[in-house]
Amino acid sequence: MSTNTGESRPALTPALTGTELLRWYWTLAELSALARKMGLPAGGGKAAVTARLAAALDGLPAPAAPAAPAPRRAGRQLTAPVTGATVIPPGQRCSQVLRAYFVREVGPGFHFDAFMRDYVAEHAGHTLAEAVAHWHATRVRAAEPQEVGAQFEFNRFLRAWHAGHPDGARAEALAAWQAHRARPRDQAAAG
């Protein structure tokens, strides 16, 4: 691991520059508190709040908000009883009715993973029997390590740390995380 060159994490205040803000790891709670203090919207997720703050700290206009996704039509939701011939209606959610059906058909190991959530959301007009076939067809890919989204920096760090320290204890991993987040991002990435 690289060592901290004596630089310490600055206080998160309106006196920072946007560049300095981006050099350090901040929690969403910290960023939201600063946004509220500065009179900025604190919603929209960590990436949006960070971008908004960085722009405001540098005296730039707020970045354009991404276009909101089209609202999902709630539509008619399936009610029990359902069978393999039941057709998935538009807007169907991953409901308890579907969970009960899939557990009955697949077994107690069933869960709504990304493959099944996407299938239900994107395959209106298909049957529940086809959804069960999809479950079985995706189990090899589902067993492979999935990419952890960039917004989950803590989880990404822990996965990488445990890969490099397979016998490491949780306390060691958390101490390593504290050291990682106390360094600027350019140094943390090297460590």
Side-chain angles (χ1 to χ4, degrees), residues 45-70:
K46 188 174 180 179
V49 174
T50 301
R52 209 174 295 128
L53 281 169
L57 290 169
D58 286 342
L60 300 172

Side-chain angles (χ1 to χ4, degrees), residues 154-180:
F154 175 68
N155 296 14
R156 292 170 73 101
F157 176 86
L158 287 183
R159 179 180 278 185
W161 189 88
H162 281 294
H165 306 85
D167 296 327
R170 181 173 178 9
E172 293 173 304
L174 293 177
W177 166 250
Q178 291 301 322
H180 171 80

Side-chain angles (χ1 to χ4, degrees), residues 18-72:
T19 301
E20 191 65 8
L21 173 86
L22 297 173
R23 287 189 68 217
W24 301 87
Y25 174 85
W26 308 100
T27 65
L28 178 57
E30 292 171 317
L31 295 167
S32 297
L34 179 60
R36 283 189 290 277
K37 183 176 183 177
M38 293 176 64
L40 298 170
K46 188 174 180 179
V49 174
T50 301
R52 209 174 295 128
L53 281 169
L57 290 169
D58 286 342
L60 300 172
R72 265 188 148 169

Side-chain angles (χ1 to χ4, degrees), residues 53-124:
L53 281 169
L57 290 169
D58 286 342
L60 300 172
R72 265 188 148 169
R73 280 188 27 221
R76 179 182 63 87
Q77 298 295 299
L78 293 175
T79 58
V82 295
T83 68
T86 301
V87 174
I88 300 170
Q92 176 64 43
R93 294 184 302 272
C94 296
S95 66
Q96 291 303 314
V97 170
L98 287 186
R99 181 181 308 281
Y101 170 78
F102 290 132
V103 166
R104 190 171 62 245
E105 295 299 314
V106 171
F110 173 81
H111 56 280
F112 282 111
D113 59 13
F115 295 106
M116 288 304 288
R117 288 189 304 270
D118 291 346
Y119 189 89
V120 170
E122 298 168 7
H123 287 83

Side-chain angles (χ1 to χ4, degrees), residues 173-188:
L174 293 177
W177 166 250
Q178 291 301 322
H180 171 80
R181 71 172 278 198
R183 293 192 302 267
R185 289 183 183 273
D186 53 353
Q187 291 178 18

